[in-house]
Amino acid sequence: MSQKNNEQCASREEYQQLVSQLQRYSHEYYVMDAPSIPDAEYDRLFRKLQAAEEAHPDWTVSDSPSQRVGGDALDVFTQVQHRLPMLSLGNAFDDEELEDFNRRNQERLGLSRDIEYACEPKLDGIAVSLMYRNGVLEQGATRGDGSTGEDITQNVKTIGSIPLRLQGGDVPDVLEVRGEIYMPKEGFARLNQTARDKGEKEFVNPRNAAAGSLRQLDSKITASRPLEMCAYSVGYLEIGNAPELPDNHTDILYKLQEWGFLINAQMQVANNIQGCMAYYKKIADIRDELSYDIDGIVFKVNSSAQQQALGFVSRAPRWAVAYKFPAQEELTVLQDVEFQVGRTGAITPVARLQPVFVGGVTVSNATLHNRDEVARLGVKIGDTVIIRRAGDVIPQVVSVVTERRPDDARDIEFPDHCPVCDSPAVSKEGEVVVRCTGGLICAAQRKEALKHFVSRKAMDVDGLGDKLVDQLVENGLVESMADLFHLELDAVSALERMAEKSAQNLLDALEQSKQSSLPRFLFALGIREVGEATARNLAQHFGNLPALMKADAEQLLEVGDVGPIMAEFIVSFFADERNREEVARLQAAGIQWPDIEVKSDDELPLKDLTYVLTGTLEQMSRNEAKAALQELGAKVAGSVSAKTSVLVAGPGAGSKLSKAQDLGIEIIDEDALIALLKQHNG
């Protein structure tokens, strides 16, 4: 071996114990998301395993964790005949179709009472079949056409959440487990970032990435990809001397979990079809918070006996249906491209699309980001494109259907002058963004800077929306941030759709916003790269504005998340005489905040702890709770993981609470949070 390792297995029995030990640690890491040992210790034991197998090749077992790294490349995939067909599911697209599905089941079963259903998110991945003989993984296969798939055994062995040997005893002689292999969103983002760094082609979406990863002839490539598998059913079965499986679908999945499989934490039982509809709405509401893509909900009659009685049609079971979410990807035509100017002068190409219904709304615009993205896509005006919209994310063009390109398709040409103020447009070396050089003489930059300044997380001026900002600039009432605080009632009330009362409300809101905080003010200034978290860190590090304005790059680099580029932006911003004058004008207008007591790390009692907030907080807003925790040194994350220290759960807490309970994470309510804050704040 290339790695030196003095530890050796003294016997085959010790080697087999090491295999079992590493299998348990792998299950904790990949399936339970709750590792009991650090990565370095796992690596040490894994090297010991490799050393034993190198010294004693005859000891190596097929379910050794070493088999996950990938074997020799194949020339071609061989065909696999499924012992039981892998059927597809019928679809429902609205509540009426779901009710029809339930009504048919009741009629066929001769029931007037409610039917119990198992509810599971429909993962957007690749269906696979895993065959275990005497508890050891023997074969993995794709669904294929339902009757014949491809042998991908070497590839599925590389996936950490697939057990190579089933845990515990009482396993059937032959067990086929069916599930979905998918790529989590975070892993997909990392994979595409690596591709960008190498100048390689990116994957369009996580499902395509998972499919491409599974169909690699070289399993070492599959091993390098962040794939997971979630079990959703049992197929072919020879029970042998093992106990019979449970008599309902949900308990069968829990049995699979006991044997070492990952099952979906969002799984739930509904007592009737109304419960199914409520579950659909619940998951739709949290869909974008999930760590993986889903495209609907699968509802299955829970009782195994009722499933058997209902049987199958030619392609699908009668007892299951997929209630699909509105499509997140659709085809449309890119009709034109316009260029918008942002608050930092960035000139962004925006695709004007033939309107298409996607992600629950009609989309007619999509971002193209920058010149590099246009080149990467190879997109032209007139192309048929795939549009993706997930949740509140701005719609994006993800790929071009080049075979549909018309003869009169036109290249997208970037402007050399600002489309708003006609100032020169330039691109600095090392940047892909083209920027207007007009600064505040550019009305577009002025508008966007003002919209950012008054936004909720910045100065939080209630009632001053985008359209009203546009009016203030277009009517010459506001040219800078400070001008907002010198507006007069008569001038504002004369604006379109404004009356004296609404104008007075605006002036009152501006007056109220003057009592601010240093983090909010810094964020509101719109310094490039300085987001909400960085503004807070800068304020806590320097304590007051003069100290920050005088700081050089070296001093700024002492702040946690400030790097060299951001430090340069901050220094440049405060070195600009116009910016210093604007800050002075804002303070002269009455904007003020208390200085912050600068604390050392030793004075931050929650340093190194990660909190997650979920549910409804009734005594303070979530933003207030987040800020209070951060002032005590805590990190506040958006999702629960094994690294979470404490979950603060209010009424209505959902999946985050369930996951925290599964991981054994400390859970407190709002009263306990307030007591904690009072304890440390005196």
Side-chain angles (χ1 to χ4, degrees), residues 417-439:
H417 283 76
C418 174
V420 175
C421 69
D422 205 37
S423 297
V426 300
S427 181
K428 288 186 179 179
E429 187 176 349
E431 282 192 357
V432 298
V433 177
V434 176
R435 294 185 190 277
C436 164
T437 57

Side-chain angles (χ1 to χ4, degrees), residues 395-417:
Q396 296 184 338
V397 177
V398 293
S399 63
V400 178
V401 185
T402 52
E403 58 267 30
R404 295 194 186 183
R405 174 168 288 163
D407 294 337
D408 60 350
R410 294 179 285 125
D411 290 338
I412 297 171
E413 297 183 2
F414 276 69
D416 54 13
H417 283 76

Side-chain angles (χ1 to χ4, degrees), residues 272-312:
N272 50 41
I273 201 65
Q274 289 74 31
C276 291
M277 293 175 184
Y279 178 86
Y280 177 92
K281 184 179 185 307
K282 168 191 162 187
I283 299 299
D285 288 344
I286 65 168
R287 180 184 185 185
D288 298 317
E289 298 175 24
L290 299 175
S291 62
Y292 44 81
D293 276 349
I294 60 175
D295 57 3
I297 303 295
V298 177
F299 297 112
K300 301 173 183 174
V301 172
N302 202 25
S303 163
S304 299
Q306 289 180 344
Q307 286 185 8
Q308 189 170 0
L310 287 166
F312 301 83

Side-chain angles (χ1 to χ4, degrees), residues 224-238:
S224 71
R225 303 282 173 81
L227 298 172
E228 289 185 1
M229 192 208 83
C230 181
Y232 61 64
S233 72
V234 167
Y236 182 79
L237 180 68
E238 293 179 14

